[in-house]
Amino acid sequence: MKIGNIDFGNRPAFLAPMEDVTDIGFRKMCKRFGAAMVYTEFVSADAIIRSIKSTLAKMKIDDDERPVGIQIYGRDVESMVEAAKIVESVHPDVIDLNFGCPVKKVAGKGAGAGMLRNIPLLLDITRAVVDAVHTPVTVKTRLGWDKNNLIITELAEQLQDCGIQALTIHGRTRSQMYTGEADWTLIGEVKNNPKIHIPIIGNGDVTDYATAKEKFDKYNVDAVMIGRATFGRPWIFREMQNGGDSGLTLDDKIDVLEEMLRINVERIDEYRGILHTRRHLAASPIFKGIPDFRQTRIAMLRADKMDDVIAILERCRTILHNVENNDTQA
């Protein structure tokens, strides 16, 4: 599979762009463990144009995380074109247009998935951005606004005609938000449409090697994009490559989480670095074996000093080893 001149190989897995999740520490870990492409947190076109410091900070990328995409969202042609030109100066490998974010503060204002209610404007924005930059432009969107407006099969052809170089489809409507099961049947229809020649990336409910393999086998997508299943689990990409086996021990995984924390604290600052990382710590599946984890989780979410977070992780390490030893003896 290729986007522009980038060859991702066969059946690649991408890290989805997620606000307050795909910070640089997490992206670098996902890249280390085999993510074919990572994305920064999605950013507002208006905030880019106004040079909002926190937004510009989200666009900082390292060469060792390439290929990397920056995803932007907005609701008018002029701001999206201007923002795309600014983004291009950062030299991402891909500029992705977000027409899929369902949250009210984005879609409710006509951006993100809100664009699915104004297809002419969506296409005008796409066409204008493609014409304005030299970087490959891609799009991420959903099946439609609701179950009565499943427009993705026609929309995919229209977006391809605008000049995009890949399309990511989340198998839900905007009205579904993140509830219910993702429906991949329409993603498969788009991929198998003989008029479509750009790569089609499927997104939604890919949680492990088995579900990824099923999506590739059944729907013939060129790549899968993984979102929530990556929380606290950057090694999921190695699992995808190794038939479900990350090859990591419990100690290895805790070391990875601690390294993510250190990277974020170093690259951002202690308070915000912890804020970004503790979402992953609290959600990581490796802690499911801790009895009454709720109290430990609360402590993780309240800690505001790196030493305190590390101490909590080390206590978790000890507890989990004790649980393993007791299970072995039993």
Side-chain angles (χ1 to χ4, degrees), residues 109-161:
K109 296 179 180 179
M115 280 288 165
L116 292 169
R117 305 186 84 174
N118 190 345
I119 298 304
L121 178 56
L122 182 157
L123 296 174
D124 285 345
I125 288 172
T126 304
R127 194 176 297 110
V129 171
V130 168
D131 290 342
V133 298
H134 300 288
T135 305
V137 175
T138 60
V139 163
K140 186 172 190 283
T141 190
R142 290 183 169 231
L143 303 179
W145 180 258
D146 56 32
K147 64 181 181 180
N148 297 316
N149 294 277
L150 300 175
I151 61 171
I152 191 60
T153 50
E154 180 182 1
L155 179 59
E157 291 187 31
Q158 294 172 315
L159 286 167
Q160 179 176 263
D161 290 342

Side-chain angles (χ1 to χ4, degrees), residues 43-301:
V43 286
S44 159
D46 289 337
I48 293 170
I49 294 167
R50 289 186 286 120
S51 298
I52 301 300
K53 187 176 179 181
S54 59
T55 296
L56 298 181
K58 291 179 180 179
M59 292 164 48
K60 291 182 179 177
I61 56 180
D62 277 355
D63 283 341
D64 59 3
E65 59 177 311
R66 292 186 184 279
V68 58
I70 295 179
Q71 188 187 73
I72 61 175
Y73 68 91
R75 53 183 177 176
D76 64 79
V77 174
E78 292 76 15
S79 64
M80 287 289 277
V81 167
E82 186 176 350
K85 290 179 178 178
I86 296 170
V87 167
E88 187 168 50
S89 69
V90 182
H91 306 298
D93 297 284
V94 164
I95 297 174
D96 193 66
L97 308 184
N98 181 321
F99 299 137
C101 179
V103 299
K104 187 175 182 180
K105 70 177 183 178
V106 175
K109 296 179 180 179
M115 280 288 165
L116 292 169
R117 305 186 84 174
N118 190 345
I119 298 304
L121 178 56
L122 182 157
L123 296 174
D124 285 345
I125 288 172
T126 304
R127 194 176 297 110
V129 171
V130 168
D131 290 342
V133 298
H134 300 288
T135 305
V137 175
T138 60
V139 163
K140 186 172 190 283
T141 190
R142 290 183 169 231
L143 303 179
W145 180 258
D146 56 32
K147 64 181 181 180
N148 297 316
N149 294 277
L150 300 175
I151 61 171
I152 191 60
T153 50
E154 180 182 1
L155 179 59
E157 291 187 31
Q158 294 172 315
L159 286 167
Q160 179 176 263
D161 290 342
C162 290
I164 67 168
Q165 297 195 35
L167 173 63
T168 301
I169 305 170
H170 184 117
R172 290 182 173 88
T173 62
R174 187 275 170 177
S175 61
Q176 281 183 274
M177 301 292 286
Y178 297 102
T179 63
E181 288 187 14
D183 180 1
W184 281 64
T185 55
L186 288 177
I187 300 176
E189 283 187 27
V190 171
K191 172 57 193 171
N192 294 305
N193 178 351
K195 295 179 181 178
I196 294 293
H197 56 77
I198 59 174
I200 301 300
I201 304 158
N203 176 223
D205 297 347
V206 177
T207 57
D208 52 25
Y209 169 76
T211 52
K213 184 177 185 301
E214 178 211 0
K215 306 310 183 191
F216 280 121
D217 289 346
K218 189 172 182 179
Y219 301 103
N220 198 34
V221 290
D222 297 285
V224 294
M225 182 175 283
I226 310 173
R228 289 172 291 168
T230 65
F231 288 7
R233 189 184 169 195
W235 49 82
I236 189 174
F237 294 99
R238 182 175 289 178
E239 294 172 2
M240 297 290 173
Q241 296 173 336
N242 295 341
D245 181 14
S246 70
L248 300 181
T249 65
L250 169 65
D251 286 318
D252 292 334
K253 292 175 180 178
I254 293 177
D255 289 346
V256 166
L257 297 178
E258 290 183 355
E259 186 175 352
M260 278 171 50
L261 173 64
R262 292 189 180 97
I263 291 172
N264 282 337
V265 168
E266 180 181 314
R267 291 297 299 265
I268 311 173
D269 58 47
E270 185 170 44
Y271 174 75
R272 289 181 300 156
I274 291 171
L275 202 62
H276 273 255
T277 311
R278 64 190 184 188
R279 173 194 292 263
H280 292 287
L281 304 183
S284 182
I286 67 172
F287 298 124
K288 288 182 178 178
I290 294 179
D292 192 24
F293 180 63
R294 182 174 178 274
Q295 295 305 316
T296 303
R297 185 175 185 274
I298 290 171
M300 284 179 176
L301 294 173

